[in-house]
Coordinates of all heavy atoms in Angstrom, one line a residue:
V52 N 16.4 -11.9 -23.4 CA 17.4 -13.0 -23.9 C 16.6 -14.2 -24.2 O 16.8 -14.9 -25.2 CB 18.5 -13.1 -23.0 CG1 19.4 -14.3 -23.3 CG2 19.5 -12.0 -22.9
R53 N 15.7 -14.6 -23.3 CA 14.9 -15.9 -23.5 C 14.1 -15.8 -24.7 O 14.1 -16.8 -25.4 CB 14.0 -16.0 -22.2 CG 13.2 -17.4 -22.3 CD 12.1 -17.6 -21.2 NE 11.2 -16.5 -21.3 CZ 10.2 -16.6 -22.2 NH1 10.1 -17.6 -23.0 NH2 9.2 -15.6 -22.2
T54 N 13.5 -14.8 -25.0 CA 12.7 -14.6 -26.3 C 13.6 -14.7 -27.4 O 13.2 -15.4 -28.4 CB 11.8 -13.2 -26.3 OG1 11.1 -13.3 -25.1 CG2 11.0 -13.2 -27.5
S55 N 14.7 -14.1 -27.4 CA 15.7 -14.2 -28.6 C 16.2 -15.6 -28.7 O 16.3 -16.1 -29.9 CB 16.9 -13.2 -28.3 OG 16.4 -11.8 -28.3
Y56 N 16.5 -16.2 -27.7 CA 16.9 -17.7 -27.7 C 15.7 -18.6 -28.3 O 16.0 -19.3 -29.2 CB 17.2 -18.1 -26.3 CG 17.5 -19.6 -26.2 CD1 18.7 -20.0 -26.5 CD2 16.4 -20.6 -25.8 CE1 19.0 -21.4 -26.4 CE2 16.8 -22.0 -25.8 CZ 18.0 -22.3 -26.1 OH 18.3 -23.7 -26.0
N57 N 14.5 -18.2 -27.9 CA 13.4 -19.1 -28.5 C 13.2 -18.8 -29.9 O 12.7 -19.6 -30.7 CB 12.1 -18.6 -27.7 CG 12.1 -19.2 -26.4 OD1 12.9 -20.2 -26.1 ND2 11.2 -18.8 -25.4
Y58 N 13.7 -17.7 -30.5 CA 13.6 -17.4 -31.9 C 14.9 -17.9 -32.6 O 15.1 -17.7 -33.9 CB 13.5 -15.9 -32.1 CG 12.1 -15.5 -32.1 CD1 11.7 -14.7 -31.0 CD2 11.2 -15.7 -33.1 CE1 10.3 -14.3 -30.9 CE2 9.9 -15.2 -33.0 CZ 9.5 -14.5 -31.9 OH 8.2 -14.1 -31.8
G59 N 15.7 -18.5 -31.9 CA 16.9 -19.2 -32.5 C 18.2 -18.5 -32.4 O 19.2 -19.0 -33.0
H60 N 18.2 -17.3 -31.7 CA 19.4 -16.5 -31.7 C 20.3 -17.1 -30.6 O 19.8 -17.3 -29.5 CB 19.1 -15.1 -31.4 CG 18.3 -14.5 -32.6 ND1 18.7 -14.2 -33.7 CD2 17.0 -14.3 -32.6 CE1 17.8 -13.7 -34.5 NE2 16.6 -13.7 -33.8
R61 N 21.6 -17.2 -30.9 CA 22.6 -17.7 -29.9 C 23.7 -16.8 -29.6 O 24.5 -16.9 -28.7 CB 23.2 -19.0 -30.3 CG 22.2 -20.2 -30.7 CD 21.3 -20.4 -29.3 NE 20.5 -21.5 -29.6 CZ 19.2 -21.3 -29.6 NH1 18.6 -20.1 -29.6 NH2 18.4 -22.3 -29.8
N62 N 23.7 -15.6 -30.5 CA 24.6 -14.5 -30.2 C 23.9 -13.2 -30.2 O 23.2 -12.9 -31.1 CB 25.6 -14.5 -31.4 CG 26.6 -15.7 -31.4 OD1 27.4 -15.9 -30.5 ND2 26.5 -16.4 -32.5
I63 N 23.8 -12.5 -29.0 CA 23.0 -11.5 -28.8 C 23.9 -10.4 -28.4 O 24.8 -10.4 -27.5 CB 22.0 -11.8 -27.7 CG1 21.1 -12.9 -28.2 CG2 21.2 -10.5 -27.4 CD1 20.2 -13.4 -27.1
G64 N 23.7 -9.1 -29.0 CA 24.4 -7.9 -28.6 C 23.4 -7.0 -27.9 O 22.2 -7.1 -28.2
L65 N 23.8 -6.5 -26.8 CA 23.0 -5.6 -25.9 C 23.6 -4.2 -26.0 O 24.7 -4.0 -25.4 CB 22.9 -6.2 -24.5 CG 22.0 -5.2 -23.5 CD1 20.7 -5.0 -24.0 CD2 22.1 -5.9 -22.2
I66 N 23.0 -3.2 -26.5 CA 23.4 -1.8 -26.3 C 22.9 -1.2 -25.1 O 21.7 -1.2 -24.9 CB 22.9 -1.0 -27.6 CG1 23.5 -1.6 -28.9 CG2 23.3 0.4 -27.5 CD1 22.9 -1.0 -30.1
V67 N 23.8 -0.7 -24.2 CA 23.3 -0.3 -23.0 C 24.1 1.0 -22.5 O 25.2 1.2 -23.0 CB 23.6 -1.5 -21.9 CG1 25.1 -1.8 -21.8 CG2 23.0 -1.2 -20.6
F68 N 23.5 1.8 -21.7 CA 24.2 3.0 -21.2 C 25.4 2.5 -20.4 O 25.4 1.4 -19.7 CB 23.2 3.8 -20.3 CG 22.1 4.4 -21.0 CD1 20.9 3.9 -20.9 CD2 22.3 5.5 -21.8 CE1 19.8 4.6 -21.4 CE2 21.3 6.2 -22.5 CZ 20.0 5.7 -22.2
D69 N 26.4 3.4 -20.4 CA 27.7 3.0 -19.7 C 27.7 3.0 -18.2 O 28.6 2.6 -17.6 CB 28.9 3.8 -20.3 CG 28.7 5.3 -20.1 OD1 27.6 5.8 -19.4 OD2 29.5 6.0 -20.4
N70 N 26.5 3.4 -17.7 CA 26.3 3.3 -16.2 C 25.8 2.0 -15.8 O 25.4 1.8 -14.6 CB 25.5 4.5 -15.7 CG 24.1 4.4 -16.2 OD1 23.7 3.5 -17.1 ND2 23.2 5.4 -15.9
Y71 N 25.9 1.0 -16.5 CA 25.3 -0.3 -16.1 C 25.9 -1.1 -15.1 O 25.5 -2.0 -14.4 CB 25.2 -1.2 -17.4 CG 26.5 -1.8 -18.0 CD1 26.9 -3.0 -17.4 CD2 27.3 -1.2 -18.7 CE1 28.2 -3.6 -17.8 CE2 28.5 -1.6 -19.1 CZ 28.9 -2.9 -18.6 OH 30.2 -3.5 -19.1
T72 N 27.1 -0.6 -14.7 CA 27.8 -1.2 -13.6 C 27.5 -0.7 -12.4 O 27.9 -1.2 -11.3 CB 29.5 -1.1 -13.9 OG1 29.8 0.3 -13.8 CG2 29.9 -1.7 -15.2
D73 N 26.8 0.3 -12.3 CA 26.4 1.0 -11.0 C 24.9 1.0 -10.6 O 24.1 1.7 -11.3 CB 26.9 2.5 -11.1 CG 26.9 3.2 -9.7 OD1 26.0 2.8 -8.9 OD2 27.6 4.2 -9.5
P74 N 24.5 0.2 -9.8 CA 23.0 0.1 -9.5 C 22.4 1.3 -8.9 O 21.2 1.4 -9.1 CB 23.0 -1.1 -8.5 CG 24.2 -1.2 -7.8 CD 25.2 -0.7 -9.0

Side-chain angles (χ1 to χ4, degrees):
V52 171
R53 183 186 66 76
T54 300
S55 297
Y56 174 83
N57 287 341
Y58 277 104
H60 301 286
R61 300 300 181 261
N62 294 296
I63 299 172
L65 175 59
I66 299 171
V67 65
F68 291 109
D69 61 2
N70 62 0
Y71 75 92
T72 61
D73 188 338

